[in-house]
Amino acid sequence: MRTKMVAGNWKMNKTLQEGVALATELKEKVANPRCEVVIATPFIHLATVAELLKDSPIRVAAENCADHESGAYTGEVSAAMVASTGATYCIIGHSERRQYYAENYDILRTKTDLCLKNNLRPIFCIGEVKEEREANRQNEVVKAQLEGSVFHLSEADFRRVVLAYEPVWAIGTGLTATPEQAQEMHAFIRSLVEAKYGKAVADDTTILYGGSCNAKNAAELFANPDVDGGLIGGASLKAEDFTTIINAR
Ligand code: 13P
């Protein structure tokens, strides 16, 4: 049985105090979830939030990590440092990292490897931009992203990876993929995993949907057989909305 999951990605929002307040509210509201619940916070929040949530079912993730193990990389935060805070997941390959920080397949492969080496579960993001969808190239795009950065993994390592399909045209735009579009792509992604690692692994792979998923549309998206949960941006910044989404899973 694959893990069902709702993960929040705070992105570059919330001061430390605001983040602690949100995590405190979530801890109260999310005592007994039916799925795995993860919040990805900015680096500076991680240690405090992980400590605050240590007796709660909510897990903590970083939004990124460095592509080097340690050393003279001013301003960077390594996977080992992330793990030392108590975080257990790390988002890798978010489209905003690919687009604004030029993170290519090789960099993301290295980051994935470093997460796994440091016992962090990567939440690996894939998805096409609007022009690629309009040209009906979305399948080849996500295939190349998987082949470029995660399909080199051993079966045991790949089993630790959570995939998140986030069509870039749906992120922060209010243009959610339709449930049919989401299901079609998730089924395609699962077929790629099956071709690479076999049916048992594909059946166990958690594939999240992200992109304008909110309290109103989450249940409809999660009702699809290959949509195992969501990676939530804007709607994860309000405890009530995020809790509604968790309860829809
Ligand atoms: P929104 O939910 O704000 O569209 O963001 C999705 C996302 O990028 C999650 O990683």
Side-chain angles (χ1 to χ4, degrees):
M1 269 297 285
R2 55 187 178 254
T3 308
K4 307 288 181 181
M5 179 182 292
V6 172
N9 175 10
W10 291 2
K11 308 193 179 182
M12 197 174 75
N13 293 294
K14 305 284 179 193
T15 63
L16 178 59
Q17 290 75 19
E18 290 165 349
V20 167
L22 176 54
T24 305
E25 218 182 325
L26 286 172
K27 185 181 175 177
E28 282 161 20
K29 286 189 190 307
V30 185
N32 224 338
R34 287 190 305 257
C35 64
E36 176 94 328
V37 176
V38 180
I39 54 174
T41 81
F43 289 130
I44 62 134
H45 299 57
L46 287 175
T48 313
V49 168
E51 174 68 22
L52 196 156
L53 295 175
K54 71 172 188 294
D55 300 320
S56 117
I58 305 173
R59 305 274 175 258
V60 178
E63 300 174 11
N64 178 33
C65 71
D67 58 341
H68 295 277
E69 216 147 334
S70 67
Y73 300 99
T74 303
E76 289 294 292
V77 176
S78 71
M81 291 173 187
V82 169
S84 75
T85 67
T88 49
Y89 288 87
C90 185
I91 297 176
I92 297 292
H94 193 282
S95 63
E96 288 148 18
R97 302 291 320 172
R98 293 179 193 259
Q99 187 180 349
Y100 306 140
Y101 301 96
E103 295 193 354
N104 59 28
Y105 297 166
D106 289 348
I107 291 172
L108 296 175
R109 185 170 59 231
T110 303
K111 291 188 177 196
T112 301
D113 290 344
L114 287 169
C115 282
L116 291 163
K117 190 173 167 193
N118 288 281
N119 216 15
L120 291 172
R121 293 191 66 182
I123 299 175
F124 189 82
C125 304
I126 54 181
E128 79 286 357
V129 301
K130 181 161 159 274
E131 294 71 27
E132 291 162 344
R133 168 70 61 166
E134 283 167 357
N136 202 26
R137 291 186 50 228
Q138 63 273 16
N139 287 8
E140 61 177 280
V141 170
V142 302
K143 184 166 189 265
Q145 290 170 334
L146 290 168
E147 287 173 348
S149 308
V150 293
F151 275 1
H152 67 290
L153 296 172
S154 68
E155 177 184 325
D157 276 347
F158 185 81
R159 280 181 170 279
R160 310 264 310 141
V161 176
V162 172
L163 297 178
Y165 171 58
E166 299 206 306
V168 182
W169 46 271
I171 295 177
T173 58
L175 289 174
T176 321
T178 63
E180 295 74 27
Q181 282 173 324
Q183 169 55 28
E184 187 180 28
M185 177 55 89
H186 283 226
F188 174 67
I189 293 166
R190 205 177 299 286
S191 77
L192 295 175
V193 175
E194 180 172 345
K196 174 73 192 168
Y197 293 102
K199 186 165 172 11
V201 176
D203 282 345
D204 286 347
T205 300
T206 299
I207 309 176
L208 307 179
Y209 169 80
S212 299
C213 181
N214 58 39
K216 289 209 174 75
N217 60 27
E220 200 183 12
L221 287 159
F222 298 168
N224 292 286
D226 287 296
V227 179
D228 302 311
L231 180 55
I232 318 299
S236 74
L237 298 172
K238 292 205 184 101
E240 193 166 321
D241 286 359
F242 192 52
T243 307
T244 303
I245 297 170
I246 292 164
N247 293 335
R249 175 64 279 178

